[in-house]
Amino acid sequence: MPRFIQILQLFIAVVVGTFICYDLILHGISIFDEKYVTITCVLLLIVEITLFIIYKLIEDD
C-alpha cells in the first residue's frame, strides 16, 4: 500500500507539473496571473501533503 501512495504522489506531481510547464511555454512568465493555475498549484500542494500524511500513517502501522 505505501508503494501505491508513492506512485500516486509521483503521478499527480508529473501530471500537474506537465500542465504548468505547458502553460508556462504558451503564456510565458505571467503564468500565475490566471486563477486556474494558482488554484491547481494550491490543490496539488494539499493533495501531496495529504498523501504524505497517509503514507506516514500506513508506514507506522
Side-chain angles (χ1 to χ4, degrees):
M1 186 68 167
R3 182 80 176 144
F4 170 73
I5 292 175
Q6 286 179 333
I7 292 171
L8 185 62
Q9 263 186 316
L10 184 62
F11 177 74
I12 291 170
V14 167
V15 168
V16 174
T18 303
F19 174 71
I20 290 173
C21 288
Y22 174 75
D23 199 41
L24 181 63
I25 290 169
L26 288 181
H27 298 107
I29 300 300
S30 65
I31 180 172
F32 293 107
D33 289 342
E34 299 179 30
K35 289 181 185 177
Y36 74 94
V37 177
T38 306
I39 291 170
T40 302
C41 291
V42 170
L43 289 176
L44 171 68
L45 182 66
I46 291 170
V47 167
E48 291 293 331
I49 290 171
T50 304
L51 286 173
F52 180 74
I53 290 171
I54 291 170
Y55 171 73
K56 285 298 182 183
L57 289 173
I58 290 173
E59 186 180 57
D60 289 341
D61 286 343

